[in-house]
Amino acid sequence: MIEIKAGDTEKIKVENNKEGVFLDGKPFEGEIIKINDSSYKVFKSNKIFRVDIVERHGKEMKLKVNDQVIDVSVTDHIDHILDKLGMNIAASAVVSDIKAPMPGSILSVSVAEGDEVSEGDPLLVLEAMKMENVIKSPGEGKVSKVHISEKENVEKNQVLISFE
């Protein structure tokens, strides 16, 4: 399940499963047809809407619905967990450090000092609560220091990687 916030509206819970698409627990009474990777046609209440993804930055998007542009943000259960742990990386404008979102053990490190990374590049794998969590770069930058090594145990909020 994900939550979508468009403009100043309340968040809408969206669930897509084998039984169909549900908005806030109610079945979506319409049809969605994918035109290409960034365009869709939505048929609802005898109306047709063309939805185009104009821009996308992580979980933030600009959608053009017919001729109206709407800012949309998407959150999922991982975002809610990170918020509860006080580790909402996406909300940070500039990130200079990557910190451990929870206590765990470092399984692997994918970067070294001096490496250039882009948004979404995997930085390391943290095992916590018997789950492997891939920690990805929140933006572009250059790794200035890797503070951890494989098999090292880390605590919540411990600095793992620093950027210039």
Side-chain angles (χ1 to χ4, degrees):
M1 178 178 53
I2 62 171
E3 290 182 339
I4 298 175
K5 181 167 177 46
D8 295 330
T9 64
E10 295 291 319
K11 287 183 180 179
I12 299 169
K13 292 181 182 178
V14 179
E15 188 172 359
N16 187 6
N17 59 39
K18 62 184 176 186
E19 296 162 6
V21 177
F22 295 84
L23 304 177
D24 287 332
K26 297 176 185 164
F28 174 70
E29 303 291 335
E31 185 177 358
I32 302 170
I33 297 175
K34 183 176 183 176
I35 299 170
N36 58 44
D37 286 339
S38 62
S39 297
Y40 301 83
K41 286 210 178 191
V42 179
F43 300 91
K44 173 133 175 65
S45 304
N46 297 322
K47 294 180 183 176
I48 300 173
F49 302 91
R50 180 174 173 120
V51 179
D52 296 296
I53 301 172
V54 178
E55 282 181 41
R56 183 175 189 162
H57 301 286
K59 295 184 176 191
E60 305 290 322
M61 291 181 255
K62 283 192 185 293
L63 300 180
K64 185 175 179 183
V65 180
N66 293 337
D67 289 322
Q68 183 179 11
V69 176
I70 301 170
D71 291 316
V72 174
S73 63
V74 178
T75 55
D76 59 17
H77 70 284
I78 298 296
D79 296 312
H80 294 290
I81 291 169
L82 291 174
D83 280 343
K84 285 181 183 177
L85 293 171
M87 295 300 300
N88 187 354
I89 294 172
S92 304
V94 176
V95 177
S96 58
D97 294 321
I98 297 295
K99 296 180 181 180
M102 61 195 80
S105 177
I106 303 298
L107 292 182
S108 65
V109 181
S110 305
V111 295
E113 292 176 15
D115 286 355
E116 296 280 341
V117 296
S118 297
E119 181 177 348
D121 286 352
L123 302 173
L124 60 99
V125 177
L126 173 69
E127 181 182 43
M129 300 181 286
K130 298 186 181 181
M131 292 179 60
E132 292 184 11
N133 302 283
V134 178
I135 307 298
K136 297 180 180 181
S137 175
E140 293 185 7
K142 185 175 183 179
V143 176
S144 64
K145 179 130 177 89
V146 178
H147 301 275
I148 42 84
S149 58
E150 290 182 12
K151 299 183 181 175
E152 183 177 338
N153 290 327
V154 296
E155 297 298 322
K156 178 182 175 184
N157 290 329
Q158 179 177 334
V159 176
L160 306 175
I161 295 174
S162 297
F163 295 97
E164 290 182 1

